[in-house]
């Protein structure tokens, strides 16, 4: 959370910073700010979105060629103008933007206050700028050295970029546990929390590693050192991303574009990996470590949010198809509860951004305990992708809407492929069933397309329930995690309280809530539990609840019981989540739009949660 961007080179910095901040806005939108050098450092910062900053910063010197910018997701201190970044040192010499959390900020602040530093904001970030100033003044060090010495005293997570009034031809950056990418152009550098602000300027990037400090200069020089003062050779990467991926392409919101991209993103996830004609599934990352993975005593999935829901589907897949015991853990719980993890376990990290702080920390713990770490990640080159022992990208392309959609189906597709590879190797499913599943999997993109064609009907249902205060989502088996995901989608973007439940558990609590005001969305596609779900629906109807049923095309029984019906094409049961989640994504989207919500940037949320 929080996005940072910076530029030094021959071009005007202002438009680069503003555009970059708009690209990073998904990381937080409580306030935005920039600092640019034009004889002195000029800071403009404003509560609210980047648009508010633009209106406020009309007077910003447009011919400056160096600057830093920030979009904030508030942690320490209210989301207001004063707490907005950039923050400036007491003597006004240095200005800084920061993404992360400084855990020992209170101690540092008290020590600095004793030295006479006066703080203006309530942020942890302001401590950094004063600390660097203190080191700079005390030891007479150049900025990069002062940053290095200062950061060695800091506990917590940071990606920072610092601008020095006395040397306005360079920027100094440092990172630990928060991402920072350096775009390398012709005599120019772009620094950002991810590659999205960089891609339209250059495809050549360097990912800064933990505890590294980088200095980039207008002359085109770049130097990287560790916090222990060892010079590092930069590793150059080429980005594989197109600018169209970062634009709405005619859709009103990124979320809708991303929902509609799913036939393509699921196909991209399977490209070169699934071959239905020749009857094989191959995953490079898995093949290289297959023996260790097959011998694993158990899989532990560590993830957060929507990625945790796809992990739950992974549990059903691995246990059902490959007979491997699985535990699915919230990364935030796993890391703090003294878990039993051994070298016989494989820990599977699932993360869209590859930067989620809790997931990263859980992996570090699992690594210490000797487990093998497998990553299922979307963002190429992200921190999680880089610390895992092996892994597979889902290739969904940048996901910008805060509510995850195409990353979820990408993760489930990847987990399905993994389960199939392992099931085949272990011989836990018959050859004919294996072949049947691959053939069906290859058809999923077309079937998702078919679900999307029911969008108008889903929009109509949305209009009927948009004013509800609560909603209940029910599913069984493979569709229970889909019920959780449907409820999460609704609450995060429309602010309607929603709960997902295993259908049979309804009678142990949620049934008390059901009345004619309560829409109950039932995923009723499971052949194996059809009658049981039909009974659950009767229980809801008996209490006058309004039932919206997601059924298989051609369904005749449940369709007659429900108030509204959404059909999805038939498929093999383990693959149904890939289809049944699509109408739930669309339903939430339309409800949120009808309620006037900002679908892509829901209140209080951020896409990349780089703090605990
Ligand atoms: C945030 C996002 C969710 C996401 C979760 C985990 O809450 O808003 O969409 O599922 O973080 O993020 P990750 O990047 O690790 O999948």
């Amino acid at each position: 959370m929080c996005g940072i961007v910076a530029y030094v080179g021959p071009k005007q910095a202002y438009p680069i910073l503003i555009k970059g901040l708009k690209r990073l806005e998904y990381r937080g939108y409580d306030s935005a700010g920039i600092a640019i050098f034009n004889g002195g450092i000029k800071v403009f910062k404003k509560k609210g979105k980047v648009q508010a900053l633009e209106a406020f910063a009309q007077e910003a010197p447009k011919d400056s060629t160096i600057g830093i910018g920030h979009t904030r997701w508030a942690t320490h201190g209210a989301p207001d103008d004063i707490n907005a970044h950039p923050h400036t040192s007491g003597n006004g010499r240095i200005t800084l933007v920061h993404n992360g959390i400084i855990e020992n900020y209170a101690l540092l602040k008290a020590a600095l206050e004793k030295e006479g530093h006066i703080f203006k904001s309530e942020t942890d970030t302001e401590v950094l700028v004063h600390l660097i100033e203190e080191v700079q003044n005390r030891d007479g060090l150049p900025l990069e050295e002062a940053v290095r010495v200062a950061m060695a005293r800091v506990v917590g997570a940071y990606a920072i970029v610092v601008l020095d009034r006395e040397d306005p031809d360079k920027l100094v950056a440092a990172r630990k546990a928060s991402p920072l990418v350096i775009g390398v152009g012709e005599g120019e550098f772009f620094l950002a929390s991810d590659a999205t602000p960089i891609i339209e300027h250059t495809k050549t990037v360097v990912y800064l590693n933990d505890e590294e400090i980088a200095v980039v200069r207008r002359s085109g020089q770049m130097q990287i050192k560790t916090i222990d003062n060892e010079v590092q050779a930069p590793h150059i990467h080429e980005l594989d991303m197109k600018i169209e991926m970062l634009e709405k392409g005619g859709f009103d919101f990124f979320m809708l574009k991303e929902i509609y991209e799913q036939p393509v993103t699921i196909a991209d996830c399977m490209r070169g990996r699934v071959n239905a004609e020749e009857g094989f599934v191959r995953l490079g990352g898995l093949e290289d470590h297959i023996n260790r993975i097959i011998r694993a005593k158990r899989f532990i999935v560590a993830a957060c949010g929507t990625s945790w829901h796809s992990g739950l589907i992974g549990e059903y897949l691995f246990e059902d198809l490959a007979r491997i015991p699985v535990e699915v853990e919230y990364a935030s719980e796993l890391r703090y509860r003294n878990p039993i993890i051994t070298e016989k376990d494989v820990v599977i990290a699932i993360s869209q951004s590859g930067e989620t702080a809790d997931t990263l920390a859980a992996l570090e713990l699992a690594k210490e305990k000797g487990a093998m770490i497998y990553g299922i990640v979307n963002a190429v080159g992200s921190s999680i992708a880089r610390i895992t022992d092996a892994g597979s990208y889902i290739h969904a392309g940048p996901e910008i809407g805060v509510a995850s959609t195409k990353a979820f189906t990408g993760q489930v597709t990847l987990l399905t492929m993994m389960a199939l590879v392992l099931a085949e190797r272990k011989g836990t499913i018959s050859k004919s069933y294996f072949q049947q599943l691959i053939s069906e999997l290859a058809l999923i993109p077309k079937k998702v397309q078919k679900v999307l064609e029911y969008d108008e009907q889903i929009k109509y249902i949305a209009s009927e329930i948009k004013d509800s205060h609560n909603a209940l989502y029910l599913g069984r088996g493979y569709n229970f995690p889909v019920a959780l995901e449907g409820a999460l989608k609704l609450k995060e973007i429309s602010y309607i309280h929603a709960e997902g439940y295993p259908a049979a558990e309804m009678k142990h609590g949620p049934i008390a809530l059901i009345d004619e005001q309560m829409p109950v969305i039932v995923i009723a596609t499971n052949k194996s539990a059809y009658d049981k779900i039909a009974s659950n629906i009767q229980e809801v109807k008996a209490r006058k609840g309004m039932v919206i049923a997601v059924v298989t095309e051609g369904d005749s029984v449940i369709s007659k019981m429900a108030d509204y019906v959404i059909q999805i094409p038939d498929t093999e049961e383990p693959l149904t989540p890939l289809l049944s989640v699509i109408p739930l994504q669309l339903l939430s989207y339309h409800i949120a739009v009808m309620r006037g919500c900002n679908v892509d940037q829901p209140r209080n949320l951020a896409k990349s949660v780089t703090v605990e």
Side-chain angles (χ1 to χ4, degrees), residues 304-307 350-354 356 402 404 411 492 606-607 609:
C304 305
T306 287
S307 300
I350 307 179
S351 177
Q352 187 288 125
S353 63
T356 303
V402 164
S404 184
Q411 292 162 351
E492 65 186 342
K607 182 135 195 84
V609 183

Side-chain angles (χ1 to χ4, degrees), residues 472-493:
L472 184 60
Y473 286 72
L474 301 176
R476 294 183 86 113
Y478 280 101
N479 282 316
F480 158 55
V482 178
L484 294 180
E485 176 59 8
L488 176 63
K489 287 288 87 85
L490 187 69
K491 68 187 137 196
E492 65 186 342
I493 62 171

Side-chain angles (χ1 to χ4, degrees), residues 493 495 590-599:
I493 62 171
Y495 317 139
H590 290 303
I591 292 173
V593 171
M594 287 168 193
R595 289 166 69 96
C597 301
N598 184 340
V599 171

Side-chain angles (χ1 to χ4, degrees), residues 35 40 51 95 111 206 223 225 232 236 353 357 409 501 504-505 564 586:
Q51 223 179 353
T95 303
V206 171
Q223 190 188 44
K225 273 186 178 180
Q232 298 296 101
I236 304 279
S353 63
T409 47
Y501 250 80
E505 274 292 305
Y564 301 95
L586 285 168

